Coordinates of all heavy atoms in Angstrom, one line a residue:
G15 N -4.7 -31.4 56.8 CA -4.6 -32.5 55.8 C -3.4 -32.5 55.0 O -2.3 -32.2 55.5
A16 N -3.6 -32.9 53.7 CA -2.5 -33.1 52.9 C -1.5 -31.9 52.7 O -0.3 -31.9 52.6 CB -2.9 -33.6 51.4
G17 N -2.1 -30.6 52.6 CA -1.4 -29.4 52.3 C -0.4 -29.1 53.6 O 0.7 -28.9 53.4
E18 N -1.0 -29.4 54.7 CA -0.3 -29.1 56.0 C 0.9 -30.1 56.0 O 2.0 -29.8 56.4 CB -1.1 -29.2 57.3 CG -0.4 -29.0 58.5 CD -1.2 -29.3 59.7 OE1 -2.2 -30.2 59.6 OE2 -1.1 -28.7 60.7
D19 N 0.6 -31.3 55.9 CA 1.6 -32.4 55.9 C 2.7 -32.1 54.9 O 3.9 -32.2 55.3 CB 1.0 -33.8 55.6 CG 0.1 -34.2 56.7 OD1 0.1 -33.7 57.9 OD2 -0.6 -35.2 56.3
F20 N 2.3 -31.7 53.6 CA 3.4 -31.5 52.7 C 4.2 -30.4 53.2 O 5.5 -30.4 53.0 CB 2.7 -31.2 51.4 CG 3.8 -30.8 50.3 CD1 4.5 -31.7 49.6 CD2 3.9 -29.4 49.9 CE1 5.4 -31.5 48.7 CE2 4.7 -29.2 48.9 CZ 5.7 -30.1 48.3
L21 N 3.7 -29.2 53.5 CA 4.5 -28.1 54.0 C 5.4 -28.4 55.1 O 6.6 -28.0 55.0 CB 3.6 -26.9 54.4 CG 2.8 -26.1 53.3 CD1 2.0 -24.9 54.0 CD2 3.8 -25.3 52.4
H22 N 4.9 -29.1 56.2 CA 5.7 -29.2 57.4 C 6.6 -30.3 57.3 O 7.6 -30.3 58.0 CB 4.7 -29.2 58.6 CG 4.2 -27.9 58.8 ND1 4.8 -26.7 59.2 CD2 2.8 -27.5 58.4 CE1 4.0 -25.7 59.2 NE2 2.7 -26.2 58.8
E23 N 6.3 -31.4 56.5 CA 7.1 -32.6 56.5 C 8.0 -32.7 55.3 O 9.0 -33.3 55.3 CB 6.2 -33.8 56.5 CG 5.5 -33.9 57.9 CD 4.4 -35.0 57.9 OE1 4.6 -36.0 57.1 OE2 3.7 -35.1 58.8
V24 N 7.7 -32.0 54.2 CA 8.4 -32.1 53.0 C 9.1 -30.7 52.6 O 10.3 -30.6 52.5 CB 7.5 -32.6 51.7 CG1 8.4 -32.7 50.6 CG2 7.0 -34.0 52.1
F25 N 8.2 -29.7 52.3 CA 8.7 -28.5 51.7 C 9.6 -27.6 52.6 O 10.6 -27.3 52.3 CB 7.5 -27.8 51.1 CG 8.0 -26.5 50.5 CD1 8.6 -26.6 49.2 CD2 7.9 -25.2 51.0 CE1 9.0 -25.5 48.6 CE2 8.4 -24.1 50.4 CZ 9.0 -24.2 49.1
F26 N 9.0 -27.3 53.8 CA 9.7 -26.3 54.7 C 11.0 -26.9 55.1 O 12.0 -26.1 55.2 CB 8.9 -25.7 55.7 CG 8.0 -24.6 55.3 CD1 6.7 -24.6 55.9 CD2 8.3 -23.8 54.5 CE1 5.8 -23.7 55.4 CE2 7.4 -22.7 54.0 CZ 6.1 -22.8 54.5
P27 N 11.1 -28.1 55.5 CA 12.5 -28.7 55.8 C 13.5 -28.6 54.6 O 14.6 -28.1 54.9 CB 12.2 -30.1 56.1 CG 10.8 -30.2 56.7 CD 10.1 -29.2 55.8
Y28 N 13.1 -28.8 53.5 CA 13.9 -28.6 52.3 C 14.3 -27.1 52.2 O 15.4 -26.8 52.0 CB 13.2 -29.1 51.0 CG 13.9 -28.9 49.7 CD1 15.1 -29.7 49.4 CD2 13.7 -27.8 49.0 CE1 15.8 -29.4 48.3 CE2 14.4 -27.5 47.8 CZ 15.4 -28.3 47.5 OH 16.1 -28.0 46.3
W29 N 13.2 -26.3 52.2 CA 13.4 -24.9 51.9 C 14.4 -24.3 52.9 O 15.1 -23.4 52.6 CB 12.0 -24.3 52.0 CG 12.0 -22.7 51.9 CD1 11.8 -21.8 52.8 CD2 12.2 -22.0 50.5 NE1 11.8 -20.5 52.3 CE2 12.1 -20.7 51.0 CE3 12.5 -22.4 49.3 CZ2 12.2 -19.6 50.0 CZ3 12.6 -21.3 48.3 CH2 12.4 -20.1 48.6
Q30 N 14.2 -24.7 54.1 CA 15.0 -24.0 55.2 C 16.4 -24.4 55.3 O 17.2 -23.8 55.9 CB 14.4 -24.2 56.6 CG 12.9 -23.4 56.7 CD 12.2 -23.8 57.8 OE1 12.3 -24.8 58.6 NE2 11.0 -23.1 58.1
N31 N 16.7 -25.5 54.5 CA 18.1 -25.9 54.4 C 18.8 -25.3 53.2 O 20.0 -25.7 53.0 CB 18.2 -27.5 54.4 CG 18.0 -28.1 55.7 OD1 18.7 -27.7 56.7 ND2 17.2 -29.1 55.8
L32 N 18.1 -24.4 52.4 CA 18.8 -23.9 51.3 C 19.4 -22.3 51.9 O 18.7 -21.8 52.7 CB 17.7 -23.5 50.1 CG 17.1 -24.8 49.7 CD1 16.0 -24.3 48.6 CD2 18.1 -25.6 48.9
N33 N 20.4 -22.0 51.3 CA 20.8 -20.6 51.6 C 20.0 -19.6 50.8 O 19.3 -19.9 49.9 CB 22.3 -20.4 51.4 CG 22.8 -20.7 50.0 OD1 22.1 -20.3 49.0 ND2 23.9 -21.3 49.8
Q34 N 20.2 -18.4 51.0 CA 19.4 -17.2 50.3 C 19.5 -17.4 48.8 O 18.5 -17.2 48.1 CB 19.8 -15.9 50.8 CG 19.2 -15.6 52.2 CD 19.5 -14.2 52.6 OE1 20.6 -13.6 52.2 NE2 18.6 -13.6 53.2
S35 N 20.7 -17.6 48.3 CA 20.8 -17.5 46.8 C 20.3 -18.9 46.2 O 19.7 -18.8 45.2 CB 22.3 -17.5 46.5 OG 23.1 -18.6 46.9
Q36 N 20.3 -20.1 46.9 CA 19.6 -21.2 46.5 C 18.1 -21.2 46.7 O 17.4 -21.5 45.7 CB 19.9 -22.4 47.3 CG 21.4 -22.9 47.3 CD 21.9 -23.8 48.2 OE1 21.5 -23.7 49.4 NE2 22.7 -24.8 47.7
Q37 N 17.6 -20.3 47.7 CA 16.1 -20.2 47.8 C 15.6 -19.3 46.6 O 14.6 -19.5 45.9 CB 15.8 -19.5 49.0 CG 15.9 -20.4 50.3 CD 15.5 -19.7 51.6 OE1 15.6 -18.4 51.7 NE2 15.4 -20.5 52.6
A38 N 16.4 -18.2 46.2 CA 16.1 -17.3 45.2 C 16.1 -18.1 43.8 O 15.1 -18.0 43.0 CB 17.1 -16.1 45.1
A39 N 17.1 -18.9 43.6 CA 17.2 -19.7 42.4 C 16.0 -20.7 42.3 O 15.3 -20.9 41.3 CB 18.4 -20.4 42.3
Y40 N 15.7 -21.3 43.5 CA 14.5 -22.3 43.5 C 13.2 -21.5 43.1 O 12.5 -22.0 42.3 CB 14.4 -22.9 44.9 CG 13.2 -23.8 45.0 CD1 13.4 -25.3 44.8 CD2 12.0 -23.4 45.4 CE1 12.4 -26.1 44.9 CE2 10.9 -24.3 45.4 CZ 11.2 -25.6 45.4 OH 10.1 -26.5 45.5
F41 N 13.0 -20.4 43.8 CA 11.7 -19.6 43.4 C 11.7 -19.2 42.0 O 10.7 -19.3 41.3 CB 11.6 -18.3 44.3 CG 10.2 -17.8 44.2 CD1 9.1 -18.2 44.8 CD2 10.2 -16.6 43.5 CE1 7.8 -17.6 44.5 CE2 9.0 -16.0 43.2 CZ 7.7 -16.5 43.8
Q42 N 12.8 -18.7 41.4 CA 12.9 -18.3 40.0 C 12.6 -19.5 39.1 O 11.8 -19.4 38.1 CB 14.2 -17.8 39.8 CG 14.3 -17.2 38.4 CD 15.6 -16.5 38.2 OE1 16.6 -16.6 38.9 NE2 15.8 -15.8 37.0
K43 N 13.1 -20.7 39.5 CA 12.9 -21.9 38.8 C 11.4 -22.2 38.7 O 10.9 -22.7 37.5 CB 13.7 -23.0 39.3 CG 13.5 -24.4 38.6 CD 14.3 -25.4 39.2 CE 14.2 -26.8 38.6 NZ 15.1 -27.8 39.1
F44 N 10.8 -22.1 39.8 CA 9.2 -22.5 39.8 C 8.4 -21.3 39.7 O 7.1 -21.6 40.2 CB 9.1 -23.4 41.1 CG 9.8 -24.7 40.9 CD1 10.9 -25.0 41.7 CD2 9.2 -25.7 40.2 CE1 11.5 -26.3 41.7 CE2 9.8 -26.9 40.0 CZ 11.0 -27.2 40.8
D45 N 8.8 -20.2 39.4 CA 7.9 -19.0 39.3 C 7.0 -19.2 38.1 O 7.4 -19.4 36.9 CB 8.8 -17.6 39.1 CG 8.0 -16.4 39.2 OD1 6.7 -16.5 39.1 OD2 8.7 -15.3 39.3
L46 N 5.6 -19.0 38.5 CA 4.6 -19.2 37.3 C 4.4 -18.1 36.5 O 3.6 -18.1 35.6 CB 3.3 -19.8 37.9 CG 3.4 -21.1 38.7 CD1 2.1 -21.4 39.3 CD2 3.8 -22.1 37.8
G47 N 5.0 -16.9 36.8 CA 4.9 -15.8 36.0 C 3.8 -14.8 36.4 O 3.3 -14.9 37.4
S48 N 3.7 -13.8 35.4 CA 2.8 -12.7 35.8 C 1.4 -13.0 35.9 O 0.7 -12.2 36.6 CB 3.0 -11.5 34.7 OG 2.6 -12.0 33.5
K49 N 0.8 -14.0 35.4 CA -0.5 -14.4 35.4 C -0.8 -15.1 36.8 O -2.0 -15.3 37.1 CB -0.9 -15.3 34.3 CG -0.8 -14.7 33.0 CD -1.3 -15.7 32.0 CE -1.2 -15.1 30.6 NZ -1.7 -16.1 29.5
W50 N 0.2 -15.3 37.5 CA 0.1 -16.1 38.7 C -0.5 -15.0 39.9 O 0.4 -14.3 40.4 CB 1.3 -16.6 39.2 CG 1.4 -17.6 40.3 CD1 0.3 -18.1 41.0 CD2 2.6 -17.8 41.2 NE1 0.8 -18.8 42.1 CE2 2.1 -18.5 42.3 CE3 3.9 -17.5 41.0 CZ2 3.1 -19.1 43.2 CZ3 4.8 -17.9 42.0 CH2 4.3 -18.8 43.0
E51 N -1.8 -15.1 40.2 CA -2.2 -14.0 41.2 C -1.6 -14.1 42.5 O -1.6 -13.0 43.2 CB -3.7 -14.2 41.2 CG -4.5 -13.9 40.0 CD -6.0 -13.9 40.1 OE1 -6.4 -13.9 41.3 OE2 -6.6 -14.2 39.1
D52 N -1.3 -15.3 43.0 CA -0.7 -15.4 44.3 C 0.7 -15.3 44.5 O 1.2 -15.7 45.5 CB -1.3 -16.7 44.9 CG -2.8 -16.8 45.2 OD1 -3.3 -15.8 45.2 OD2 -3.3 -17.9 45.2
R53 N 1.4 -14.9 43.4 CA 2.9 -14.9 43.5 C 3.5 -14.1 44.6 O 4.3 -14.6 45.4 CB 3.3 -14.2 42.2 CG 4.9 -14.2 42.0 CD 5.3 -13.5 40.7 NE 6.6 -13.7 40.4 CZ 7.6 -12.9 41.0 NH1 7.3 -12.0 41.9 NH2 8.9 -13.2 40.7
S54 N 3.0 -12.9 44.8 CA 3.6 -12.0 46.0 C 3.2 -12.6 47.3 O 4.1 -12.6 48.2 CB 3.2 -10.7 45.8 OG 1.8 -10.5 46.0
Q55 N 2.1 -13.2 47.4 CA 1.8 -13.8 48.8 C 2.7 -15.0 49.1 O 3.0 -15.3 50.2 CB 0.3 -14.2 48.7 CG -0.6 -13.0 48.8 CD -2.1 -13.4 48.8 OE1 -2.6 -14.0 47.7 NE2 -2.8 -13.3 49.8
W56 N 2.8 -15.8 48.0 CA 3.8 -17.0 48.3 C 5.2 -16.5 48.5 O 5.9 -17.2 49.4 CB 3.8 -18.0 46.9 CG 2.7 -18.9 47.1 CD1 1.7 -19.1 46.3 CD2 2.6 -19.9 48.0 NE1 0.8 -20.1 46.7 CE2 1.5 -20.8 47.8 CE3 3.3 -20.4 49.2 CZ2 1.1 -21.8 48.5 CZ3 3.0 -21.6 49.9 CH2 1.8 -22.2 49.6
L57 N 5.7 -15.5 47.8 CA 7.0 -15.0 48.0 C 7.3 -14.5 49.5 O 8.1 -14.7 50.2 CB 7.3 -13.9 47.1 CG 8.8 -13.4 47.0 CD1 9.8 -14.6 46.8 CD2 9.0 -12.4 46.0
E58 N 6.1 -13.8 49.9 CA 6.2 -13.3 51.3 C 6.1 -14.4 52.4 O 6.9 -14.4 53.4 CB 4.9 -12.4 51.7 CG 5.1 -11.1 50.9 CD 3.8 -10.3 51.1 OE1 2.8 -10.6 51.9 OE2 3.5 -9.3 50.3
S59 N 5.4 -15.4 52.1 CA 5.3 -16.7 53.0 C 6.7 -17.3 52.9 O 7.0 -17.8 54.0 CB 4.2 -17.6 52.5 OG 4.2 -18.8 53.3

Protein backbone atom coordinates (compact mmCIF):
# COMPACT_ATOMS: atom_id res chain seq x y z
CA GLY A 1 0.00 0.00 0.00
CA ALA A 2 0.84 3.63 0.62
CA GLY A 3 3.83 2.96 2.88
CA GLU A 4 5.49 0.65 0.35
CA ASP A 5 4.85 3.06 -2.53
CA PHE A 6 6.27 5.97 -0.55
CA LEU A 7 9.42 4.07 0.48
CA HIS A 8 10.25 2.68 -2.95
CA GLU A 9 9.06 5.47 -5.23
CA VAL A 10 9.85 8.57 -3.18
CA PHE A 11 12.00 8.12 -0.10
CA PHE A 12 14.64 5.50 -0.95
CA PRO A 13 15.47 6.98 -4.36
CA TYR A 14 16.06 10.33 -2.63
CA TRP A 15 17.94 8.76 0.31
CA GLN A 16 20.22 6.66 -1.87
CA ASN A 17 21.29 9.71 -3.89
CA LEU A 18 22.64 11.41 -0.76
CA ASN A 19 26.24 10.91 0.30
CA GLN A 20 27.00 9.74 3.86
CA SER A 21 27.35 13.23 5.33
CA GLN A 22 24.11 14.36 3.65
CA GLN A 23 22.33 11.26 5.00
CA ALA A 24 23.62 11.99 8.51
CA ALA A 25 22.48 15.62 8.26
CA TYR A 26 19.05 14.54 6.95
CA PHE A 27 18.56 12.07 9.79
CA GLN A 28 19.70 14.62 12.36
CA LYS A 29 17.28 17.19 10.90
CA PHE A 30 14.33 14.80 11.21
CA ASP A 31 15.36 12.99 14.42
CA LEU A 32 12.35 12.93 16.76
CA GLY A 33 14.52 12.66 19.87
CA SER A 34 14.87 10.38 22.84
CA LYS A 35 11.10 9.73 23.24
CA TRP A 36 11.07 8.18 19.77
CA GLU A 37 10.95 4.44 20.51
CA ASP A 38 11.73 3.31 16.95
CA ARG A 39 14.74 5.60 16.48
CA SER A 40 17.42 2.89 16.47
CA GLN A 41 15.36 0.60 14.22
CA TRP A 42 14.84 3.37 11.65
CA LEU A 43 18.54 4.25 11.78
CA GLU A 44 19.47 0.61 11.14
CA SER A 45 17.00 0.43 8.25
